[in-house]
Amino acid sequence: MTATMTAAVNDGLPPEVHALLNSADGAAFEQALDTMVRQREQHLFRALGVLARDLHGAVCRLGSDLANEGVPESMTDARNYLAEVLDMSSQAAHRSLDFVDRMRPEAEALSANAVAVLGHNNKADDPVAVLARQAQVFATGCAEGLNDMVLVQSWQDLAGQRVKKVVSFIESVESSLIELVRLTGALAGREAPVEVAKVSSQDEVDRLLSEFGF
Amino acid sequence: MKILVVDDFSTMRRIVRNLLVELGFSNPLIQEADDGNAALAMLKTNPFDMVVTDWNMPNMTGIELLQAIRAEPKLKSMPVLMVTAENNREQIIAAAQAGVNGYIVKPFTAITLKEKLDKIFERLAASGASA
């Protein structure tokens, strides 16, 4: 029975398990168990150490890649581009509304003139009356089209609200990146910078990033 | 009728103004504010008959403006129409609980605006008659 078990133990299990199973008494068993647990812990700590170094390396690379492209400038650029989009779209919408303001009185005047002409001459086949009727239909159609054009400009407000949401998303990515840099810097043994409760200005962002060489 | 149009987007203020004029309101009597704070200051110093406000604005949002109006004895009965892109259930309920008189989701049409305004004035006339 013992011989069979020893043969099985020798067959593939690690030596520390072998030592554990072949312990002569309770004390030897405890000692073998301690050794095994310590070895396991060392493996775990080594793996954690490798992970922490890899993470720090990755964050540093990310930070330096972004820095090479001009972070925090690239974040600022992104925000500025979006502000420009808002500005340009607003100008475009206002130009359309200016056009409506200019054309609406023209359409109303054309309609009024057509009505006045038809007041004098409303014969079915008289060319003047025919033209006046056509002008009235056209003026009415224009007025309706101009009203639709006003309403359609609300795209600028709706699109602008989404742009503003993207701006706030960029800000949250930026502060998360800074927090990540701070945490991994602390993990790598650098002294963590003084806690910054809220990074609100570009100057604060620049200062905090520069503490880590970004 | 003096109307205050509140929205942080100048385009939308202009569109609402345009629609109100189209519905027969007097253009010179329509005034604009670009957030709740500015609107509240104007409401406290000038007499207005109605407020048309957006929800999402910097400094003071539309719902905060509505709450401030309802909390101010001089202004609390002011009709407030909310015109907003916010269309989730909770926000509409919050506006109703804060005492909004009408709620329009952007984008909207002149017909919708007319319907909501008519409804507000009908209710006001009914409550005025019963008072």
Side-chain angles (χ1 to χ4, degrees), chain A residues 86 90 93-94 97-98 100-101 104 147 150-151 153-154 156-158 160-161 164-165, chain B residues 7-12 14-15 18-19 22 54 56 58 85-86 106-110:
Chain A
L86 274 180
S90 174
H94 277 295
L97 293 169
D98 289 343
V100 171
D101 285 347
R104 188 177 271 146
N147 287 341
V150 168
L151 277 174
Q153 299 314 307
S154 59
Q156 195 272 328
D157 170 90
L158 297 171
Q161 292 200 29
K164 284 188 172 180
K165 280 182 181 161
Chain B
D7 200 311
D8 54 332
F9 280 79
S10 59
T11 321
M12 190 44 80
R14 204 169 160 187
I15 291 169
N18 228 301
L19 290 173
E22 194 191 321
D54 181 30
N56 259 325
E86 302 299 331
K106 296 179 197 170
F108 59 98
T109 63

Side-chain angles (χ1 to χ4, degrees), chain A residues 84-102:
Chain A
E84 280 173 22
V85 168
L86 274 180
D87 200 36
M88 285 189 287
S89 65
S90 174
Q91 281 180 27
H94 277 295
R95 284 179 66 183
S96 301
L97 293 169
D98 289 343
F99 173 77
V100 171
D101 285 347
R102 220 168 46 241

Side-chain angles (χ1 to χ4, degrees), chain B:
Chain B
M1 173 173 271
K2 276 191 82 176
I3 302 175
L4 181 60
V5 177
V6 194
D7 200 311
D8 54 332
F9 280 79
S10 59
T11 321
M12 190 44 80
R13 291 200 301 272
R14 204 169 160 187
I15 291 169
V16 172
R17 174 192 282 273
N18 228 301
L19 290 173
L20 289 170
V21 172
E22 194 191 321
L23 293 176
F25 293 94
S26 161
N27 198 2
L29 293 182
I30 300 171
Q31 290 194 32
E32 300 178 12
D34 63 4
D35 72 12
N37 275 336
L40 199 59
M42 289 171 78
L43 289 166
K44 282 179 179 170
T45 51
N46 298 291
F48 280 94
D49 300 302
M50 187 172 69
V51 175
V52 178
T53 182
D54 181 30
W55 184 304
N56 259 325
M57 293 180 291
N59 305 321
M60 184 191 251
T61 63
I63 188 80
E64 287 164 350
L65 172 64
L66 172 61
Q67 287 160 347
I69 287 172
R70 293 290 176 256
E72 180 78 34
K74 228 172 71 184
L75 301 172
K76 66 178 183 191
S77 57
M78 173 84 59
V80 176
L81 174 63
M82 204 157 245
V83 179
T84 170
E86 302 299 331
N87 59 356
N88 75 53
R89 212 174 153 268
E90 286 73 22
Q91 280 176 305
I92 296 167
I93 292 170
Q97 285 173 340
V100 81
N101 297 79
Y103 195 102
I104 298 180
V105 177
K106 296 179 197 170
F108 59 98
T109 63
I111 296 165
T112 312
L113 181 63
K114 185 172 175 7
E115 278 173 10
K116 301 297 172 198
L117 286 172
D118 286 348
K119 203 170 265 180
I120 289 174
F121 296 133
E122 267 170 37
R123 284 209 202 106
L124 284 179
S127 67
S130 65

Side-chain angles (χ1 to χ4, degrees), chain A:
Chain A
M1 184 79 180
T2 308
T4 315
M5 195 167 165
T6 306
V9 165
N10 283 339
D11 262 354
L13 288 173
E16 63 268 24
V17 178
H18 184 214
L20 186 70
L21 292 174
N22 289 328
S23 305
D25 52 29
F29 177 84
E30 291 277 340
Q31 199 183 357
L33 187 62
D34 282 349
T35 308
M36 197 174 81
V37 170
R38 263 199 305 277
Q39 281 174 349
R40 289 280 154 122
E41 281 176 350
Q42 278 168 2
H43 284 311
L44 184 64
F45 289 144
R46 266 200 294 278
L48 275 176
V50 169
L51 269 179
R53 275 194 299 279
D54 285 353
L55 175 64
H56 181 60
V59 171
C60 285
R61 277 195 300 281
L62 173 68
S64 93
D65 286 351
L66 290 171
N68 287 337
E69 286 177 28
V71 161
E73 284 77 7
S74 63
M75 293 283 191
T76 313
D77 285 348
R79 276 200 298 261
N80 288 343
Y81 292 150
L82 291 173
E84 280 173 22
V85 168
L86 274 180
D87 200 36
M88 285 189 287
S89 65
S90 174
Q91 281 180 27
H94 277 295
R95 284 179 66 183
S96 301
L97 293 169
D98 289 343
F99 173 77
V100 171
D101 285 347
R102 220 168 46 241
M103 295 312 291
R104 188 177 271 146
E106 305 268 345
E108 283 168 4
L110 180 62
S111 178
N113 288 343
V115 169
V117 167
L118 290 170
H120 295 296
N121 178 359
N122 201 3
K123 289 175 193 155
D125 52 354
D126 187 287
V128 172
V130 170
L131 187 61
R133 275 191 290 274
Q134 284 177 351
Q136 201 186 6
V137 170
F138 174 74
T140 308
C142 273
E144 284 169 7
L146 291 170
N147 287 341
D148 287 346
M149 199 166 158
V150 168
L151 277 174
V152 164
Q153 299 314 307
S154 59
W155 67 269
Q156 195 272 328
D157 170 90
L158 297 171
Q161 292 200 29
R162 280 158 183 73
V163 167
K164 284 188 172 180
K165 280 182 181 161
V166 175
V167 169
S168 83
F169 170 71
I170 290 175
E171 279 166 0
S172 73
V173 169
E174 193 175 31
S175 39
S176 299
L177 177 65
I178 288 161
E179 184 61 13
L180 192 61
V181 169
R182 199 180 71 79
L183 283 174
T184 58
L187 261 182
R190 286 171 185 259
E191 196 176 323
V194 179
E195 184 91 15
V196 176
K198 193 179 170 194
V199 180
S200 55
S201 76
Q202 189 58 57
D203 286 345
E204 285 177 89
V205 173
D206 294 350
R207 197 167 59 244
L208 192 53
L209 279 174
S210 73
E211 289 185 43
F212 290 97
F214 291 119

